[in-house]
Amino acid sequence: MINKIIEFAVKNRIPTISLALFIVIAGIWSWIDIQKEAYSDIADTQVRLVAKYPGKAATEVEERVTLPIERVLNAVPKVIVRRSRTINGLVVFQFVFEEGTDDYFARTRLLEKVKEADIPADVVPQLAPMSSPVGEIYRYVIESKKNHTAMEMRTAQDWIVMPKMLAIPCIADVVTFGGLAKQFHVITTPEKLVQYKVDLNDIIQAVGENNLNTGGNILRQGDQGFAIRSLGAIRTPKDIESIVIKTENGVPITIRELGSVEISPLIPAGVLGYVFQNQPDGSPRVEVDSSIQGLVAMRRGCEPNAMGERIKAKVKEINEHFMPDGMQLRQAYDRADLVNFTLRTISRTLIEGVSIVALILVFFVGSVRTSIVVVLTIPFSMLFAFILMQMTGIPASLLSLGAIDFGIIVDGAVIMAENIMRKYRDATHLDKEKGIEKYTLESSNEVGKEIFFSILIIILAYIPIFTFQRIEGRLFKPMAFTISYAIMGSMVFAMTMIPVLMSMLYRKYFESQNPGKIEWHNPIYAWMEKKYRSLIERLIASYKKVVLIAFSVVFALTGFGLWKIGTEFLPELDEGGFNLRA
């Protein structure tokens, strides 16, 4: 089978080259279209359920909310991990599902079962946004050039920015930090309450019942009908002051008699400040002590690059058409910066790898033309891998592209090209009478099977990684698949294109009666080869002792390495900025 593939390629050079060009074009298109990430989402399918029970101690929340909900949710299928955390007035449940469980299935099943829990009527469990630990893709701050108050900026965030951001497809949530939330406060005194014989519950009930628009019937006049509405929703502090608490002897007692209504902020739990320095555009240092920040979280399964472009377009639209005069959104963090940095790193690594491999090949092979043919294996293999990554849904990231070894990729190509070049150099007059196509075919067939099985062994070595499940599988399997795809591409190139290109580049040399040297003489390599041959002869002479000593040294170094080497789940990823929360 291998010999037939090589024979087809050598005898049909134009179709072979055309097919290779098609793979190159398809690979370039795949690279443009493939999902690009800095690091992939490796988290399991998990759902968080939040239940609030304000004003209650943790013990009471545990007894009346946590335990009843846990009992009914134990029957949810496909759950492998259940956790709950109870604090004063709040309980958070976390459920981790089996690999492959659909997010919407998991969320629906939880909502169905939690309705059966026997909990207080005022406790309404809610699902947390469907985002993952790596869902944070954008942060922005609100800047004011006209000294807007913290309450005014928070109002713009709550009523202008957040609704616009949540309208973007694939946005799971927008989290607000900082600012003063606007509230209407009713200020009264115990003396007034005693004087008019009312309590705080009367005031709370009256405000709640009077903050509502209602609809009536239809008033008909001839052929027309007019809808009757009662407008009672609170708009201003004066509306609250006019609410009637009770009547005494036909005289209404309103909130105005009991006190005053003021616009005041909710008691803040903290203050947000930020510093911008060393900006790429050279802008001066900016330091703000109190402001608003919004964190945009992406829904699981969405593409970060596309989301980043949508968010930036929406930020531009909000700044131009919706923000109050003198108030603007400014980017504080963008995942696209890390993605672009990752892509630049990968590109630089590819260029450096190709350059180093080319120099080493020229040094050891001794022929520039042969080295160029071998080096072409690297971009071809990468493009071939991009095609298969696009087909199998593997994104381009540090986890998938970070472990590609150019040395392994060019191994088969080096063997094939060096063997063909050596056969050209040693060809006799009778060999040349066969023609370069036939002679190249014979030379390629000598090492074709060996190259195939050597590459197959390398791929089979990744079988343990292919069997990984859950988090470890999502972490390591993209790397194993990507390197396997690239090695397969190198095998295809070595079996087809290298014989074709070698026969085309060395045709004149092969057909010449006095071709001269096919490679330059490398005295350093010749000295190294001589010393290596001498070393091998001495080692073979006492092979038993050599094997014993070698295995002893290897085991000793392995034991020392296992004792001293450190471990980590993921390498450190420094994005160049930080958030400090105290």
Side-chain angles (χ1 to χ4, degrees):
M1 182 65 182
I2 304 301
N3 293 342
K4 290 183 179 180
I5 294 175
I6 298 174
E7 181 180 359
F8 176 84
V10 173
K11 292 184 177 180
N12 301 274
R13 293 183 296 176
I14 301 301
T16 301
I17 295 175
S18 301
L19 182 60
L21 292 176
F22 174 78
I23 293 176
V24 169
I25 295 173
I28 295 173
W29 176 84
S30 298
W31 171 251
I32 295 173
D33 190 62
I34 197 173
Q35 180 175 335
K36 303 176 183 67
E37 301 175 351
Y39 41 84
S40 302
D41 186 0
I42 62 174
D44 287 314
T45 299
Q46 53 183 301
V47 181
R48 293 184 299 275
L49 187 72
V50 181
K52 297 180 181 179
Y53 200 16
K56 305 300 180 181
T59 304
E60 188 173 358
V61 176
E62 179 80 17
E63 294 175 352
R64 303 197 60 188
V65 179
T66 306
L67 294 178
I69 292 179
E70 284 181 346
R71 280 195 293 268
V72 298
L73 294 184
N74 283 335
V76 176
K78 299 185 178 182
V79 177
I80 57 178
V81 177
R82 295 175 175 86
R83 300 189 185 97
S84 65
R85 183 176 57 185
T86 305
I87 58 176
N88 290 341
L90 178 70
V91 57
V92 179
F93 301 89
Q94 184 176 6
F95 298 86
V96 180
F97 289 78
E98 295 177 0
E99 184 175 10
T101 303
D102 181 70
D103 290 276
Y104 295 99
F105 168 83
R107 297 169 72 85
T108 302
R109 295 300 297 163
L110 282 178
L111 283 180
E112 289 176 353
K113 296 299 294 183
V114 77
K115 294 178 181 178
E116 303 174 7
D118 183 14
I119 55 179
D122 54 343
V123 177
V124 182
Q126 296 180 336
L127 295 178
M130 195 176 71
S131 182
S132 67
V134 297
E136 177 186 338
I137 59 171
Y138 196 85
R139 284 180 183 248
Y140 61 88
V141 294
I142 299 181
E143 291 185 328
S144 174
K145 298 180 181 179
K146 293 191 175 181
N147 297 322
H148 291 90
T149 64
M151 186 185 299
E152 290 173 334
M153 290 192 291
R154 177 61 181 265
T155 302
Q157 163 71 5
D158 293 340
W159 296 97
I160 298 176
V161 181
M162 284 185 63
K164 298 294 181 184
M165 287 292 187
L166 290 173
I168 302 174
C170 275
I171 292 298
D173 193 21
V174 178
V175 182
T176 302
F177 297 94
L180 300 175
K182 183 178 180 180
Q183 289 186 337
F184 294 91
H185 289 188
V186 177
I187 310 298
T188 185
T189 62
E191 292 79 8
K192 292 284 186 180
L193 297 178
V194 173
Q195 177 183 349
Y196 289 100
K197 298 179 181 180
V198 297
D199 56 27
L200 291 178
N201 288 330
D202 295 332
I203 299 175
I204 295 172
Q205 183 178 357
V207 173
E209 292 176 350
N210 285 272
N211 185 24
L212 182 67
N213 292 335
T214 60
N217 208 333
I218 301 295
L219 177 63
R220 296 187 178 277
Q221 288 187 353
D223 295 334
Q224 295 183 336
F226 297 91
I228 300 175
R229 297 177 60 209
S230 174
L231 302 180
I234 295 173
R235 299 291 182 183
T236 64
K238 290 184 178 181
D239 295 337
I240 301 177
E241 293 177 348
S242 301
I243 294 176
V244 177
I245 304 298
K246 61 183 287 189
T247 58
E248 189 171 335
N249 297 326
V251 179
I253 299 174
T254 63
I255 291 180
R256 186 179 295 107
E257 278 76 34
L258 299 175
S260 61
V261 179
E262 301 176 358
I263 298 178
S264 299
L266 177 69
I267 298 176
V271 177
L272 181 132
Y274 62 86
V275 176
F276 288 120
Q277 59 184 2
N278 301 326
Q279 295 297 298
D281 57 359
S283 57
R285 173 189 171 96
V286 177
E287 184 173 353
V288 178
D289 295 331
S290 179
S291 182
I292 312 292
Q293 183 184 77
L295 184 156
V296 183
M298 178 184 66
R299 191 178 302 140
R300 274 174 55 93
C302 296
E303 184 177 354
N305 286 351
M307 290 304 305
E309 296 299 325
R310 294 174 188 170
I311 293 172
K312 284 184 278 191
K314 181 62 69 173
V315 168
K316 182 179 180 182
E317 176 187 345
I318 294 173
N319 283 334
E320 293 177 353
H321 302 291
F322 300 104
M323 292 297 286
D325 186 30
M327 201 180 297
Q328 292 283 298
L329 302 181
R330 178 172 179 174
Q331 174 185 310
Y333 167 78
D334 185 5
R335 173 81 67 80
D337 295 337
L338 180 61
V339 174
N340 294 332
F341 179 78
T342 303
L343 296 179
R344 289 195 298 268
T345 301
I346 294 173
S347 301
R348 185 177 67 252
T349 302
L350 178 61
I351 296 173
E352 292 174 353
V354 171
S355 303
I356 293 174
V357 170
L359 293 175
I360 293 176
L361 287 173
V362 171
F363 180 81
F364 285 102
V365 175
S367 172
V368 176
R369 286 180 292 180
T370 303
S371 301
I372 293 174
V373 172
V374 173
V375 167
L376 291 177
T377 308
I378 296 177
F380 181 89
S381 302
M382 295 297 297
L383 296 173
F384 186 87
F386 295 152
I387 296 174
L388 296 182
M389 290 171 65
Q390 175 77 356
M391 294 173 61
T392 54
I394 298 177
S397 66
L398 284 175
L399 300 181
S400 59
L401 299 178
I404 292 182
D405 188 344
F406 296 136
I408 296 178
I409 289 177
V410 301
D411 274 349
V414 169
I415 295 172
M416 178 66 75
E418 199 277 334
N419 186 69
I420 294 175
M421 186 181 69
R422 179 179 59 83
K423 297 291 287 186
Y424 287 167
R425 181 192 61 195
D426 299 337
T428 63
H429 180 70
L430 295 176
D431 294 330
K432 295 182 179 182
E433 290 181 354
K434 299 177 182 179
I436 190 169
E437 286 83 5
K438 186 175 181 180
Y439 194 67
T440 302
L441 178 60
E442 294 177 356
S443 304
S444 303
N445 288 337
E446 289 181 358
V447 294
K449 292 182 180 179
E450 287 75 8
I451 293 174
F452 173 79
F453 284 108
S454 64
I455 292 177
L456 181 62
I457 291 172
I458 296 175
I459 296 176
L460 292 177
Y462 289 102
I463 287 181
I465 298 179
F466 294 144
T467 62
F468 285 177
Q469 302 294 321
R470 294 187 59 201
I471 295 177
E472 61 272 18
R474 288 185 287 273
L475 179 63
F476 294 109
K477 283 165 69 173
M479 175 272 297
F481 277 112
T482 302
I483 188 65
S484 298
Y485 295 156
I487 294 174
M488 290 169 58
S490 70
M491 180 179 65
V492 171
F493 192 85
M495 298 293 184
T496 58
M497 285 301 298
I498 288 209
V500 171
L501 294 176
M502 292 292 288
S503 64
M504 296 174 66
L505 292 176
Y506 286 97
R507 176 176 292 274
K508 291 184 178 180
Y509 174 88
F510 186 81
E511 295 177 350
S512 175
Q513 296 299 326
N514 188 17
K517 293 183 178 181
I518 196 173
E519 57 187 348
W520 67 286
H521 177 67
N522 187 343
I524 299 178
Y525 178 73
W527 178 82
M528 293 173 59
E529 184 178 15
K530 180 180 178 181
K531 293 296 182 180
Y532 177 73
R533 183 181 294 109
S534 175
L535 175 63
I536 292 297
E537 291 175 353
R538 290 198 302 269
L539 293 177
I540 293 177
S542 53
Y543 62 91
K544 292 183 179 180
K545 185 185 299 184
V546 169
V547 172
L548 181 61
I549 295 175
F551 270 91
S552 301
V553 172
V554 168
F555 279 116
L557 293 177
T558 302
F560 180 78
L562 292 176
W563 177 47
K564 285 293 187 179
I565 194 170
T567 60
E568 60 182 9
F569 187 68
L570 275 177
E572 180 180 353
L573 298 175
D574 185 3
E575 300 184 38
F578 62 90
N579 289 287
L580 180 63
R581 187 173 183 178

